[in-house]
Each structure stands twice: as C-alpha cells, then as structure tokens.
Amino acid sequence: MENIQNKVVIITGTSSGIGENTAKLLAKHGAKVVLGARREERLSSIKQAIEEAGGTAVYKITDVTSSKQVEELAQLALDEFGTIDVLINNAGIMPVSPLHAQKVDEWDEMIDINIKGVLYGISAVLPTMRENKKGQIINVASALAHVVVENAAVYAGTKFAVKAITEGLRQEECENNIRTTIISPGAVQSEITNGITHEETKDAVKGMVSKVWLQPESIAKAIVYSVNEPDEVSTNEIIVRPTIQKAF
C-alpha cells in the first residue's frame, strides 16, 4: 500500500459505517485522514481510535448540505497538511418509500445530501487538485445507481445523478491527472436503513439486509484498493454486492 502513505484524504460521512471503516483502514496504511460528519462525539472517538493505532487524523463537524461547511473541511486539510490528495464523498441517506407516500421533505433531503453534497465536495477540492495537476475524487453511490426498483425511485435517482456527475468529472479533468472513482455498494449492514420512515418499506429493506448483506469493511477495502493504484491508473467504477444478492 505504498501509494497511500502520507496521502491527505478527506472523507465525509465518517461517523459510522463505510466512512468510519474507510478512515481507519486508510490511516492504518499511512494516510492522513480528514474526517467530516455531523456527530462530534463520533468524530472525536474515531479520531482517538486512529491516533491510538498510530495513525493521523483531524476532524471538523460538517453538514454536507452547506457548501460553506464543506469548503471549511477542505480548508482544514490545507491548513493542517498543506494539500488535498483524495476526496471521498461518502455522506448519504436512504429514506426510501413509494412515491404515493409523498415524503416530499425526505426527497428534498436526499437531493440535498446525496447530490448537492457531492457537488459541494467536488467544488471544494477541485481548485487544489487542478493546481497540483493530480488528485482523486471518489464518490460513493449504490447498486441503485445502475437499476431502479420499486419504492426507491428518488434514492435511485440521486445515485444515478452521482454516477453521471462522476463520469462528467472524469471527462473534464482526466487531462489534469485527476482520477475519478465511483463505488457502488449493494446491501451493506449500516445505519443508513435507520432513516426509513415508511414502515412497510423499512420492514422489507431490513428483512432483506438481515439475510443478504456486506459488512462496511468490504466497501472500505474497495476504496483503499482504488486509492492505492498508481497515479496513471484510474479505477473508474467498482460495484460490490453480496454474492447472493440478486434483486439489484
């Protein structure tokens, strides 16, 4: 993992699940990780765990729906470490429901976090990466960035958007040696299902995840793999599903 050593990596949504596991694994391999999430007690705990294991971490409370807060997270990386090598746009929510349930506020929140949060992250780091003529932006999407299933129309729509944004970014910035990667997890055991408020859908999703699921460490390993590849190699897309997951 020699290509990870001393890289400065910003990760959003690091208070649990994929973000937390990715931060710890990257730090274990020598990256300097910059943690962003909304829960300070979790950020503090994860930072402490990384440091006790010999790694380097800083954090800032960050709500990715605020472009200002995302810019401040990027500035923290610059102030502490002098550069930004990798951004992992991991923050996301999944309050899935049928359209007829009219969960309009939840639709708005998914758009704000899952799409606009990704765009704010890109905007915050791109000037530095363009100046450096190198960098990597990793966007965590979903297997539902590739197929739509019932009760997940809006969530899938946000993840289709992330996929499109990532491909557009790749085409625009490849000549600046900026690598783009989209990671699309299938069913993963995490807190993301806790946000589902439509009870019938929640029961169905939790029933599936209880039988067919990955641990977040598996997604972290895929992210670490893509970061470790040499600068001339851009791993553009990785889909990681449980072997027995069939539905999407």
Side-chain angles (χ1 to χ4, degrees):
M1 295 292 177
E2 65 279 359
N3 290 323
I4 293 176
Q5 189 74 31
N6 293 318
K7 280 189 173 179
V8 178
V9 183
I10 299 172
I11 312 170
T12 65
T14 49
S15 59
S16 66
I18 293 170
E20 176 183 355
N21 281 271
T22 301
K24 289 178 176 177
L25 190 54
L26 284 169
K28 178 181 177 180
H29 291 299
K32 300 170 182 176
V33 294
V34 182
L35 316 175
R38 292 182 288 191
R39 293 180 287 178
E40 183 170 17
E41 71 282 0
R42 291 292 303 142
L43 289 170
S44 178
S45 174
I46 293 164
K47 176 180 184 292
Q48 182 178 347
I50 287 171
E51 291 176 340
E52 288 176 352
T56 302
V58 295
Y59 75 82
K60 187 178 188 308
I61 299 171
T62 306
D63 182 344
V64 298
T65 66
S66 165
S67 60
K68 181 175 184 292
Q69 289 187 32
V70 178
E71 287 169 2
E72 289 171 350
L73 183 66
Q75 190 61 49
L76 174 64
L78 294 173
D79 291 344
E80 292 287 334
F81 304 121
T83 193
I84 300 167
D85 296 301
V86 182
L87 165 69
I88 302 172
N89 275 316
N90 170 68
I93 61 169
M94 192 188 74
V96 289
S97 63
L99 291 169
H100 70 76
Q102 296 178 295
K103 301 276 189 177
V104 176
D105 290 343
E106 292 179 359
W107 301 347
D108 288 341
E109 192 175 12
M110 278 191 280
I111 290 167
D112 287 344
I113 294 175
N114 296 358
I115 302 177
K116 292 166 73 174
V118 167
L119 289 169
Y120 294 158
I122 293 169
S123 176
V125 304
L126 206 50
T128 298
M129 291 183 179
R130 285 173 62 89
E131 182 178 349
N132 292 342
K133 292 293 183 182
K134 65 177 182 177
Q136 183 177 16
I137 296 174
I138 300 172
N139 295 327
V140 178
S142 168
L144 289 172
H146 304 266
V147 62
V148 181
V149 298
E150 63 179 351
N151 301 336
V154 179
Y155 176 74
T158 66
K159 295 304 184 176
F160 267 74
V162 170
K163 187 173 184 290
I165 290 164
T166 309
E167 172 59 15
L169 179 66
R170 183 192 71 79
Q171 293 183 28
E172 292 177 16
E173 297 298 338
C174 60
E175 292 183 357
N176 289 315
N177 297 311
I178 296 173
R179 304 189 293 163
T180 59
T181 304
I182 184 167
I183 305 287
S184 295
V188 177
Q189 187 75 41
S190 74
E191 294 180 1
I192 197 167
T193 58
N194 295 345
I196 302 172
T197 61
H198 186 263
E199 290 302 324
E200 185 178 344
T201 303
K202 186 172 188 174
D203 290 344
V205 170
K206 288 205 165 186
M208 182 195 76
V209 171
S210 69
K211 298 173 185 176
V212 184
W213 47 267
L214 296 171
Q215 291 296 329
E217 292 94 329
S218 295
I219 310 303
K221 288 175 184 177
I223 293 171
V224 168
Y225 162 78
S226 70
V227 174
N228 188 56
E229 285 295 277
D231 288 348
E232 66 271 18
V233 177
S234 184
T235 306
N236 298 133
E237 190 165 344
I238 301 176
I239 304 175
V240 185
R241 295 186 182 96
T243 302
I244 63 171
Q245 182 177 344
K246 182 178 181 180
F248 54 85

